[in-house]
């Protein structure tokens, strides 16, 4: 083949590939344009997960009629005009590429009217064929409709994920921008129904509540700081709230959503060892930095930036996060003896506090001795019988065994206990489920509701009788009995949270993985004070487990400090 310059149409499709990857990228560009145009009310409508229809309308400045056909050309922008301005950008857009790119891979209609125009104007662009500008009645502002995305690039279409995934990406994007711009009223409408909206009153915590639920939103910590021209604000989760992926970490720099691995790493590092391995915080932070200290022109979708002094920025962010975490002390917030009702059947435990520890230990021995022989053999090879000493840090149970001290992680241990009970019931086809006299009705975000629909069958196998009950509302008719002690509404909501993080369809997973996940959510948490009976029951139930030493996810449930080791540590024994 000879060297030749590509036809404009192909060249612009190639360029579009960098900017428009999926429906969410179109929405991001249009939303940013509306924000740049100082829109105060922005409505995003999608159909077919954004593949067939996207419409973003705003009440912003509008585009003058005579500039409309220029706006859709490549490198056409009203936002900068000289190279120097690249280094003091205050708008989200500046490359003049979005409208040109989108229209080269979709059918686009722009209707716009400036504040002083008597009427609006309309322009149709289809795969780079620019139509004629026509006059049309229209409100002030701009409405851009994008239909049949990638109709002329079928290869791109094939790379799109299933609808639920594309919708979730869109939902995450829109909600993050809503958090970043709380003074703008933002609404998302899917298939003609509103699925998310903000009031534009500037209250970020109210937006968090619609995303994570009222309780989590209340618990989120405010991070704030102002230093050497850097200004940080936003919310981070306390160490008691976490997720299994980084997806809930979002960061805005000068109003721009940034997805930068080193920045995420710096944020996670601020939590240091406070979170368990494989757990990540919820973070919504907004940084203002002088435009000349950051280069936003390094990434096609402007998702990455380059700081002139990254150490300065990272260390500032980390210090502010640590400060917010330190200011928060979870223990005093817990009223004494919040109980979750006891782990074992409860009624047969009578703790006599006058009893000598050794007697209690023996009594425990008797209880365990009455268990089937076959299980006993397993016990002895797993954990020994233990005597309860007490709870420390509202998170660990201290117990004494025949050879020293045991520290039990109450959350991990309870996860294991619930898991084995649930699996045992499942294997015997005897899931005990408690039917509610009056069913629980729970409302949730539309996307959460839709994700849950996929899981209902599996949940049913484990004793959750859940049905949809009108729009984004569910009705819980029954609940597995072994979880009786948790607050069902919160339990269901947090369970759904965990499902949401999962991109792969749930059905493909092994049931034991699902059970592990359910138990993780239902288990008592670190930071929860337990009564003595509950501590006692926890130890006893752990002893009765087939694999008591790890939680279903493989983390240890207990740490053993042997007498021998204690003696060495105290210099009573061993080499001098
Ligand atoms: P950029 O945002 O980088 O300037 P775009 O291709 O996204 O490039 O948009 C081109 C131009 O069209 C913008 O500079 C702006 O003048 C105009 N424009 C696009 N969307 C809107 C809108 N919603 N309101 C007002 N003007 C808009
Ligand atoms: Mg733009």
């Amino acid at each position: 083949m000879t060297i030749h310059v590509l036809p404009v149409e192909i060249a612009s499709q190639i360029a579009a590939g960098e900017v428009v990857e999926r429906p969410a990228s179109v929405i991001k560009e249009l939303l940013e344009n509306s924000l740049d145009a100082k829109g105060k009310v922005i409505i995003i409508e999608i159909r077919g997960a954004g593949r067939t229809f996207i419409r973003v309308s705003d009440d912003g400045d509008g585009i003058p009629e005579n500039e409309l056909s220029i706006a859709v050309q490549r490198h056409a922008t009203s936002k900068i005009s000289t190279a120097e301005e690249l280094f003091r950008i205050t708008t989200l857009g500046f490359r003049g590429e979005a409208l040109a790119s989108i229209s080269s891979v979709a059918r686009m209609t722009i209707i716009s009217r400036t504040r002083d125009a008597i009427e609006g104007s309309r322009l149709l662009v289809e795969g780079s064929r620019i139509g004629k500008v026509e006059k049309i009645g229209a409100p002030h502002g701009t409405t851009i409709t994008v239909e049949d995305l990638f109709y002329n690039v079928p290869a791109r279409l094939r790379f799109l994920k299933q609808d639920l995934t594309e919708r979730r990406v869109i939902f995450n994007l829109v909600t993050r921008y809503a958090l970043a711009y709380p003074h703008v009223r933002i609404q998302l409408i899917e298939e003609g129904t509103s699925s998310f909206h903000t009031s534009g009153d500037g209250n970020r915590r109210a937006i968090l509540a619609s995303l994570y639920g009222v309780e989590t939103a209340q618990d989120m910590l405010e991070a704030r700081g102002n230093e050497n021209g850097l200004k940080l604000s936003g919310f981070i989760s306390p160490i008691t709230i976490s997720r299994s992926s980084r997806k809930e970490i979002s960061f805005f720099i000068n109003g721009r959503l940034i997805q930068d691995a080193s920045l995420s790493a710096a944020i996670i590092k601020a939590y240091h060892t406070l979170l368990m391995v494989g757990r990540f915080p919820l973070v919504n932070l907004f940084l203002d930095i002088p435009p000349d200290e950051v280069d936003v022109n390094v990434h096609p979708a402007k998702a990455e930036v380059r700081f002139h002094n990254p150490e300065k920025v990272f260390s500032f962010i980390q210090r502010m996060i640590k400060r917010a975490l330190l200011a928060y002390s979870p223990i005093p917030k817990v009223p004494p003896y919040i109980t979750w009702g006891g782990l074992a059947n409860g009624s047969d435990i009578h703790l006599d506090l006058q009893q000598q520890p050794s007697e209690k230990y023996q009594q425990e021995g008797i209880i365990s001795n009455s268990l089937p022989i076959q299980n006993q053999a397993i016990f002895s090879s797993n954990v020994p019988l233990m005597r309860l000493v007490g709870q420390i840090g509202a998170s660990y149970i201290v117990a004494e065994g025949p050879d020293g001290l045991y520290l039990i992680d109450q959350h991990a241990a309870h996860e294991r206990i619930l898991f084995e009970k649930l699996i045992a019931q499942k294997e015997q086809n005897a899931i005990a489920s408690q039917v509610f006299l009056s069913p629980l009705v729970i409302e949730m975000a539309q996307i959460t509701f839709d994700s849950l629909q996929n899981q209902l069958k599996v949940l049913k196998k484990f004793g959750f009788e859940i049905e949809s009950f009108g729009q984004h509302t569910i009705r819980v008719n029954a609940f597995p009995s072994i979880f009786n002690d948790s607050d069902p509404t919160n339990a269901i909501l947090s369970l759904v949270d965990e499902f949401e993080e999962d991109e792969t369809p749930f059905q493909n997973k092994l049931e034991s993985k699902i059970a592990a996940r359910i138990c993780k959510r239902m288990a008592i948490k670190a930071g929860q004070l337990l009564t003595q009976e509950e501590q006692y029951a926890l130890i006893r139930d752990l002893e009765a487990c087939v694999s008591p030493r790890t939680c279903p996810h493989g983390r240890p449930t207990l740490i053993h400090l042997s007498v021998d080791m204690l003696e060495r540590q105290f210099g009573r024994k061993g080499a001098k």
Side-chain angles (χ1 to χ4, degrees):
M1 227 195 263
T2 54
I3 301 177
H4 58 282
V5 174
L6 287 171
V8 187
E9 260 184 52
I10 299 178
S12 48
Q13 279 185 12
I14 292 171
E18 299 211 306
V19 184
V20 188
E21 187 198 342
R22 61 197 322 172
S25 3
V26 173
I27 295 178
K28 176 172 184 283
E29 293 299 333
L30 298 182
L31 184 54
E32 289 192 345
N33 280 346
S34 293
L35 289 166
D36 277 345
K38 300 187 280 295
K40 285 289 159 220
V41 179
I42 302 176
I43 297 168
I44 300 136
E45 272 181 80
I46 61 169
R47 288 181 188 278
R51 287 165 218 254
T52 48
F53 183 96
I54 294 172
R55 172 176 288 160
V56 177
S57 57
D58 65 59
D59 59 349
D61 295 338
I63 306 170
E65 187 186 339
N66 59 342
E67 293 176 20
L68 210 48
S69 46
I70 307 170
V72 295
Q73 288 176 31
R74 202 160 287 282
H75 312 302
T77 181
S78 59
K79 297 170 192 174
I80 58 169
S81 43
T82 64
E84 294 84 68
E85 284 175 80
L86 266 181
F87 300 96
R88 42 185 161 85
I89 287 168
T90 54
T91 50
L92 296 168
F94 56 85
R95 294 215 188 105
E97 259 174 355
L99 296 187
S101 290
I102 296 166
S103 62
S104 74
V105 292
R107 299 178 228 276
M108 182 163 87
T109 311
I110 310 179
I111 296 176
S112 194
R113 180 176 162 202
T114 57
R115 277 178 221 292
D116 43 17
I118 350 164
E119 55 188 340
S121 44
R122 178 176 68 180
L123 176 64
L124 265 68
V125 192
E126 204 176 298
S128 298
R129 273 197 308 278
I130 304 179
K132 268 208 201 80
V133 177
E134 297 166 65
K135 288 194 190 306
I136 187 174
H140 294 295
T142 304
T143 297
I144 299 187
T145 309
V146 176
E147 283 163 294
D148 304 325
L149 181 63
F150 299 137
Y151 77 97
N152 53 355
V153 212
R156 279 260 155 192
L157 266 184
R158 280 201 298 277
F159 278 102
L160 295 184
K161 302 266 169 54
Q162 52 168 332
D163 275 11
L164 199 56
T165 307
E166 294 300 332
R167 284 178 52 207
R168 191 171 296 150
V169 177
I170 293 170
F171 184 80
N172 284 346
L173 177 94
V174 172
T175 53
R176 259 122 221 227
Y177 269 86
L179 272 168
Y181 294 86
H183 292 285
V184 177
R185 257 169 70 188
I186 294 181
Q187 184 178 25
L188 177 64
I189 298 174
E190 298 185 67
E191 311 294 336
T193 316
S194 174
S195 63
F196 172 81
H197 66 98
T198 62
S199 65
D201 67 357
N203 185 347
R204 277 191 176 138
R205 224 183 261 273
I207 304 173
L208 285 176
S210 67
L211 293 181
Y212 304 136
V214 176
E215 207 170 311
T216 300
Q218 272 167 0
D219 287 347
M220 293 286 279
L221 310 174
E222 203 163 350
R224 198 168 267 294
N226 200 339
E227 219 178 86
N228 300 324
L230 302 180
K231 202 173 144 216
L232 189 76
S233 64
F235 293 91
I236 64 167
S237 57
I239 58 172
T240 46
I241 301 172
S242 64
R243 291 287 195 270
S244 60
S245 78
R246 291 174 168 79
K247 268 181 245 155
E248 292 301 329
I249 299 179
S250 82
F251 205 92
F252 278 77
I253 297 176
N254 293 346
R256 191 188 298 285
L257 180 62
I258 298 299
Q259 270 137 352
D260 185 88
S262 59
L263 195 58
S264 301
I267 291 168
I268 293 164
K269 222 171 134 198
Y271 277 78
H272 193 48
T273 55
L274 296 171
L275 293 176
M276 277 189 284
V277 178
R279 302 299 295 177
F280 301 93
L282 281 68
V283 172
N284 297 107
L285 286 175
F286 310 95
L287 178 75
D288 286 329
I289 177 169
D292 59 349
E293 288 185 34
V294 60
D295 188 354
V296 291
N297 193 19
V298 293
H299 184 267
K302 295 166 282 184
E304 286 169 21
V305 292
R306 202 173 290 140
F307 296 110
H308 293 187
N309 187 349
E311 284 76 39
K312 171 183 159 183
V313 179
F314 288 179
S315 97
F316 169 68
I317 295 167
Q318 287 178 334
R319 270 184 293 113
M320 293 309 114
I321 291 178
K322 282 184 194 157
R323 197 167 77 178
L325 286 174
L326 276 177
Y328 167 78
S329 48
I331 314 295
K333 271 185 70 181
V334 181
Y337 291 90
I338 279 203
T339 69
W340 44 274
L343 286 151
N345 289 332
S347 54
D348 59 343
I349 304 164
H350 296 288
L351 256 199
D352 181 356
L353 298 179
Q354 301 298 315
Q355 218 174 19
Q356 286 306 305
S358 59
E359 282 174 40
K360 269 197 270 174
Y361 186 26
Q362 274 169 10
Q363 187 194 350
E364 182 64 335
I366 295 162
I367 295 169
S368 295
N369 277 338
S370 66
L371 286 156
I373 308 286
Q374 161 213 356
N375 280 354
Q376 257 187 41
I378 302 168
F379 292 177
S380 50
S381 65
N382 286 305
V383 288
L385 299 176
M386 292 176 280
R387 177 179 71 79
L388 172 67
V389 177
Q391 188 186 21
I392 52 173
S395 301
Y396 303 100
I397 309 292
V398 185
E400 188 195 354
D403 179 31
L405 189 70
Y406 289 85
L407 277 175
I408 301 167
D409 179 319
Q410 66 189 37
H411 169 70
H414 195 200
E415 247 183 288
R416 163 57 63 188
I417 294 163
L418 290 177
F419 178 72
E420 291 200 3
K421 284 185 180 171
L422 191 62
I423 291 292
Q425 288 186 358
K426 175 96 202 331
E427 275 169 5
Q428 293 159 12
N429 265 325
I431 289 278
S433 139
Q434 192 210 338
V435 179
F436 293 118
L437 284 178
S438 46
L440 286 178
V441 174
I442 309 175
E443 212 188 307
M444 56 190 69
Q446 184 69 43
I447 189 92
T448 312
F449 175 84
D450 293 346
S451 314
L452 182 64
Q453 296 309 305
N454 289 347
Q455 330 295 355
L456 290 185
K457 263 210 196 109
V458 193
L459 285 171
K460 193 170 166 148
K461 288 191 185 165
F462 286 105
F464 294 88
E465 297 272 353
I466 301 176
E467 57 185 8
S468 17
F469 185 58
Q471 217 206 326
H472 56 81
T473 304
I474 58 162
R475 195 161 72 178
V476 186
N477 298 316
F479 197 68
S481 305
I482 64 161
F483 302 135
N484 266 356
D485 305 320
S486 30
D487 163 13
T489 306
N490 268 332
I492 298 267
L493 280 177
S494 63
L495 189 61
V496 172
D497 263 355
E498 195 82 9
F499 289 156
E500 264 212 283
E501 290 166 15
D502 198 357
E503 291 247 308
T504 56
F506 215 38
Q507 281 81 347
N508 298 346
K509 293 215 165 175
L510 291 171
E511 282 181 357
S512 72
K513 264 197 169 170
I514 298 161
R517 189 170 262 203
I518 296 173
C519 293
K520 177 179 198 60
R521 289 316 232 169
M522 299 301 176
I524 50 168
K525 304 284 175 301
Q528 207 167 332
L529 285 174
L530 305 183
T531 64
Q532 213 156 2
E533 279 90 346
E534 289 165 344
Q535 299 169 31
Y536 193 67
L538 185 84
I539 293 183
R540 209 186 73 183
D541 283 353
L542 187 65
E543 286 166 354
C545 284
V546 178
S547 320
R549 287 185 178 269
T550 55
C551 80
H553 297 94
R555 280 191 295 275
T557 53
L558 47 78
I559 295 172
H560 178 204
L561 306 174
S562 69
V563 173
D564 187 61
M565 185 209 138
L566 292 173
E567 288 187 339
R568 279 175 205 280
Q569 294 280 320
F570 285 114
R572 290 171 181 271
K573 201 173 167 183
K576 290 267 136 59

